[in-house]
Amino acid sequence: MKLSALRTMGALRTTAVALTAALTVAVVAGGAATAAPDKASGVSSIVKDGRTWHLQVYSAAMKRDIPIDVQRPAEESKSAPTFYMLNGLDGGAGTATWTAKTQALEFLTDKHVNVIQVLDGRGSYFTDWKQEDPNLGLNKWRTFLTEELPPLLEATLASNGLNALAGLSTSGTSVLQLAEAKPGLFKSVAAYSGCAQIADPMGRQAVKFAVEPWAGGNTLNMYGPEDDPAWVENDPVIHAEKLRGTHLYVSSGSGMPTNADIAYYLKPEAGVFGAVELGLGIGIEAATNACSQNLKAKLDSLNIPATFQFTPMGTHYWPYWEQALLDSWPVLAKGLGI
C-alpha cells in the first residue's frame, strides 16, 4: 500500500475517533441538560386558617402532591407530638372523614398535639402497590407515611418526634401494617373495625370487596394474585411480633345492630338502599370482629400486651369509631407522652 494511502486512512481514523468523542460528549451533555432530575419529597405549600394548616406535600414515590390537613395545638410555640388519623375507604377525598362525620377534632382541640389527616388515598389501603392501577393511580402510601412524610412534618411543625396512629375500617388494617413496616415510628396505634388478616381466604376477600367493586381498583395491581408472597408479607397477624413495644388498642363490634343502628340505616330518605347498607354494616363488622379476635389470640400467644374492646352490639359505622377514639385516647396519649 502506498504511503499516501496509509496517511489518508490514518487521517480518517483520527477524524472518526474525534467525531465519536464529540458525539459522545454531546449526547451526555445533552442528556444532562434535557433530562429532568427526580423531584425530591417536600412541602409544596402551606395555607394557614387559624389553627388549621392546609399542606400540599409532594411525594417523590407517588410523583404528586398529597393534601394534608393539620390541626395545630393551641400553644404552637411549644413542641408537640404528632397524631395521624387515617380515614376509611375513600381516603379522605370525599365526605366520609373524621372531620365531616365526627366531633373528633373538637375532642382533640385542647390536647397538646398536631393532628394529621391525609386527604387522599381512595381504595388504596394506604399500602405500597406492586404497580400503578388504571383507576386508582400510583400508590406508594407505606413509603409516603413511614419514610417521606414524618421527617417533613417534624421539620415543618417543629414536632418532638413522638408519633401515634389511628385508623378505621380499611385503614384499621393499614395502621397495623404501617406500624409493622417501621417498628418504633408510631409509639401508639389504634385500629377500629379493621381486619388484621389479609393472607387467608376471608381476609383476601375483604380486601378485594373494598378495593374492587367499591373503589374500582384491581388487587392484582395491589398485591398480585392470591398466591403472591405480597399477601403474606403484608398480613398484620402473621407479622404480629413486629408490634412488640407498641401501645396497642383494637376495637370491634359484634355486628348485631342496636335500635339506634336500625333507625340510622332505615331512615325514610334512605329508601331500599338503607336495608342494603344495614346488611353490609352487619356483615362487615362481624368479619372485622373475627379478624380482631384472631389478632388477639396471636398477640396473646406472643405475650404482647394490647387493649382490646369487643362490644356485644354494634355495626360498621361512624358513631362507634368516634366512641372508640375517645375510649382509646389514654392508650394513644401514652405513646404521645401527653
Side-chain angles (χ1 to χ4, degrees), residues 65-89:
D65 279 334
I66 307 299
I68 306 287
D69 271 6
V70 183
Q71 178 172 282
R72 298 282 276 143
E75 191 178 348
E76 291 184 19
S77 61
K78 182 181 177 183
S79 183
T82 303
F83 176 39
Y84 296 75
M85 298 177 67
L86 296 185
N87 291 294
L89 185 60

Side-chain angles (χ1 to χ4, degrees), residues 11-68:
L12 287 172
R13 288 192 191 99
T14 302
T15 302
V17 170
L19 284 171
T20 301
L23 286 170
T24 301
V25 170
V27 169
V28 172
T34 58
D38 290 338
K39 183 179 176 181
S41 300
V43 177
S44 303
S45 67
I46 303 174
V47 176
K48 299 181 181 180
D49 180 13
R51 286 177 57 184
T52 300
W53 291 15
H54 305 287
L55 277 58
Q56 291 289 331
V57 179
Y58 182 76
S59 166
M62 292 188 280
K63 304 184 188 306
R64 67 178 188 272
D65 279 334
I66 307 299
I68 306 287

Side-chain angles (χ1 to χ4, degrees), residues 226-271:
E226 292 185 357
D227 60 350
D228 194 297
W231 289 93
V232 171
E233 291 166 3
N234 289 279
D235 188 298
V237 173
I238 292 174
H239 301 285
E241 174 62 38
K242 294 182 178 181
L243 296 172
R244 189 180 298 277
T246 304
H247 301 290
L248 293 170
Y249 182 98
V250 180
S251 67
S252 181
S254 67
M256 291 295 294
T258 65
N259 290 334
D261 293 339
I262 295 171
Y264 169 79
Y265 285 110
L266 301 184
K267 51 186 177 291
E269 59 269 27

Side-chain angles (χ1 to χ4, degrees), residues 127-130 142 177 198-199 204 219-235 238-239:
T127 190
D128 277 10
W129 287 43
K130 296 174 74 71
R142 181 180 62 207
Q177 293 173 320
I198 67 165
R204 284 196 305 270
T219 55
L220 290 176
N221 298 320
M222 184 184 188
Y223 293 140
E226 292 185 357
D227 60 350
D228 194 297
W231 289 93
V232 171
E233 291 166 3
N234 289 279
D235 188 298
I238 292 174
H239 301 285

Side-chain angles (χ1 to χ4, degrees), residues 60-64 66 129-133 136-141:
M62 292 188 280
K63 304 184 188 306
R64 67 178 188 272
I66 307 299
W129 287 43
K130 296 174 74 71
Q131 59 194 26
E132 189 167 356
D133 186 84
L136 300 181
L138 180 60
N139 290 293
K140 297 292 181 182
W141 290 99

Side-chain angles (χ1 to χ4, degrees), residues 31-305:
T34 58
D38 290 338
K39 183 179 176 181
S41 300
V43 177
S44 303
S45 67
I46 303 174
V47 176
K48 299 181 181 180
D49 180 13
R51 286 177 57 184
T52 300
W53 291 15
H54 305 287
L55 277 58
Q56 291 289 331
V57 179
Y58 182 76
S59 166
M62 292 188 280
K63 304 184 188 306
R64 67 178 188 272
D65 279 334
I66 307 299
I68 306 287
D69 271 6
V70 183
Q71 178 172 282
R72 298 282 276 143
E75 191 178 348
E76 291 184 19
S77 61
K78 182 181 177 183
S79 183
T82 303
F83 176 39
Y84 296 75
M85 298 177 67
L86 296 185
N87 291 294
L89 185 60
D90 75 354
T95 58
T97 66
W98 285 105
T99 301
K101 297 293 186 179
T102 74
Q103 301 297 310
L105 293 181
E106 287 79 357
F107 167 73
L108 294 166
T109 193
D110 65 343
K111 311 296 189 289
H112 188 66
V113 63
N114 294 296
V115 182
I116 311 300
Q117 282 196 81
V118 177
L119 303 180
D120 197 349
R122 179 176 181 271
S124 69
Y125 265 86
F126 294 108
T127 190
D128 277 10
W129 287 43
K130 296 174 74 71
Q131 59 194 26
E132 189 167 356
D133 186 84
N135 290 328
L136 300 181
L138 180 60
N139 290 293
K140 297 292 181 182
W141 290 99
R142 181 180 62 207
T143 298
F144 180 68
L145 290 167
T146 63
E147 302 293 339
E148 295 179 322
L149 185 59
L152 294 174
L153 289 180
E154 190 169 340
T156 302
L157 306 176
S159 60
N160 64 13
L162 296 176
N163 304 294
L165 178 64
L168 59 99
S169 190
T170 55
S171 68
T173 304
S174 309
V175 295
L176 297 169
Q177 293 173 320
L178 292 166
E180 292 179 352
K182 194 165 186 179
L185 174 61
F186 303 104
K187 305 301 182 185
S188 295
V189 173
Y192 316 131
S193 300
C195 187
Q197 297 173 273
I198 67 165
D200 69 305
M202 182 183 75
R204 284 196 305 270
Q205 190 56 45
V207 173
K208 290 181 179 181
F209 180 72
V211 171
E212 293 177 351
W214 281 65
N218 189 333
T219 55
L220 290 176
N221 298 320
M222 184 184 188
Y223 293 140
E226 292 185 357
D227 60 350
D228 194 297
W231 289 93
V232 171
E233 291 166 3
N234 289 279
D235 188 298
V237 173
I238 292 174
H239 301 285
E241 174 62 38
K242 294 182 178 181
L243 296 172
R244 189 180 298 277
T246 304
H247 301 290
L248 293 170
Y249 182 98
V250 180
S251 67
S252 181
S254 67
M256 291 295 294
T258 65
N259 290 334
D261 293 339
I262 295 171
Y264 169 79
Y265 285 110
L266 301 184
K267 51 186 177 291
E269 59 269 27
V272 67
F273 295 105
V276 173
E277 289 184 354
L278 175 59
L280 288 171
I282 292 171
I284 294 172
E285 193 67 12
T288 67
N289 186 278
C291 293
S292 298
Q293 295 279 1
N294 290 339
L295 176 62
K296 184 180 188 303
K298 181 62 178 287
L299 291 174
D300 287 347
S301 73
L302 296 171
N303 293 316
I304 296 176

